[in-house]
Amino acid sequence: MNFTLVQLRYFVAAAELRSMTAASRELVVAQSAISSAVAHLEREFKVQLLVRHHAKGLSLTPSGERFLIEARELLAHAADLAAGAEGLGGSLVGQLSVGCFVTLAPFVLPALLAGFAEEHPGVTVRLVEDETASLQAALLSGRCELALLYDLGLSDELRVEPLAEVSPYAIVGANHPLAGAGRVPLDLPHSREYFAALVARTGIEPTVAHRSSSFEMVRAMVAAGRGFAILNQRPAHDLTYDGGRVAVLELDSESAEELPSLPLVLARAAAVRPTRRAEAFADACRRHFGR
């Protein structure tokens, strides 16, 4: 193989930053070195990887997009090999990119990351908090090795491992007439589709007063008397950021069919072999949610 890991690293930097100049600054090497590395790879594999746009940076060709995924994977496993050699098969070292659904992150990541850091202090976890579509793209492109998210409309190209089931519940303002009911009947994300399906069980078309991508904004609006909401993750208290209060109501189904819970899963690209760091993090997830 007439190419080097350094050339691959230069190509990945240029492809991700969409600029030879930016890659040069990022890696602290001459721009000519970046350009020469990319040109060498294109000659070696007889395919154009990048399109140079005068004064407008770079773009990836279809072949370049696929090559970028493969290059990231090879570099990740090269780093894994080096880390294993340095530790003589002992402690893990290096960087691990982990994604998490944005509203789920504050509920599960702090304790999970604290436990993982205690067990593997040599591993630096880089977090990506985003929506489902972006996390899937990050997994399939190699920008993330693992992601914690809900099993809603996930691609067949991902391998998912169930970790937990979270049940829906309703919240109303503390002064709402139902605030002390404890339980209410409901014969009633993609989170939106999931919650819409729950409400559709009632045969009623709800009036949507407000929309927000912020979990805490939804709670604060409910506390202010602006309707009710159906959620899955439960904070440890009923206070909102602005000092309001919400009341939690369990949901009962009046039909024989149970209300569907939401599977929380650990996902990775099915075609990519996980690194030792990723396997260690997956083990930490299993133990965390097993408790």
Side-chain angles (χ1 to χ4, degrees), residues 40-125:
H40 178 89
L41 292 171
E42 291 180 324
R43 287 194 304 271
E44 178 68 19
F45 297 108
K46 298 179 177 60
V47 64
Q48 185 175 2
L49 302 173
L50 295 171
V51 178
R52 287 78 167 169
H53 303 284
H54 180 64
K56 293 185 179 179
L58 308 169
S59 63
L60 283 161
T61 65
S63 297
E65 290 178 352
R66 181 60 192 169
F67 188 81
L68 176 60
I69 295 173
E70 300 287 355
R72 282 177 176 146
E73 183 180 357
L74 180 55
L75 289 172
H77 285 288
D80 207 26
L81 175 64
E86 289 174 4
L88 299 177
S91 300
L92 295 177
V93 296
Q95 187 178 88
L96 174 67
S97 294
V98 176
C100 190
F101 188 70
V102 63
T103 60
L104 176 64
F107 290 95
V108 300
L109 286 184
L112 178 58
L113 292 177
F116 185 74
E118 185 175 347
E119 188 174 357
H120 302 287
V123 178
T124 301
V125 178

Side-chain angles (χ1 to χ4, degrees), residues 213-232:
S213 60
S214 167
F215 183 87
E216 280 300 329
M217 180 63 174
V218 170
R219 296 179 74 247
M221 293 296 283
V222 169
R226 302 300 298 165
F228 72 96
I230 299 177
L231 305 171
N232 285 92

Side-chain angles (χ1 to χ4, degrees), residues 153-181:
L154 299 183
S155 168
D156 292 338
E157 295 180 80
L158 298 180
R159 178 168 297 173
V160 300
E161 177 181 346
L163 295 174
E165 297 274 341
V166 287
S167 300
Y169 67 97
I171 58 171
V172 295
N175 296 323
H176 192 280
L178 292 175

Side-chain angles (χ1 to χ4, degrees), residues 136 139 147 149-152 154-163 263-270:
Q136 287 194 93
L139 289 169
L149 66 171
Y150 297 118
D151 191 3
L152 288 171
L154 299 183
S155 168
D156 292 338
E157 295 180 80
L158 298 180
R159 178 168 297 173
V160 300
E161 177 181 346
L163 295 174
L264 192 161
V265 301
L266 181 67
R268 65 177 178 86

Side-chain angles (χ1 to χ4, degrees), residues 139-150:
L139 289 169
L140 295 175
S141 68
R143 288 185 289 113
C144 282
E145 281 199 67
L146 300 169
L148 287 159
L149 66 171
Y150 297 118

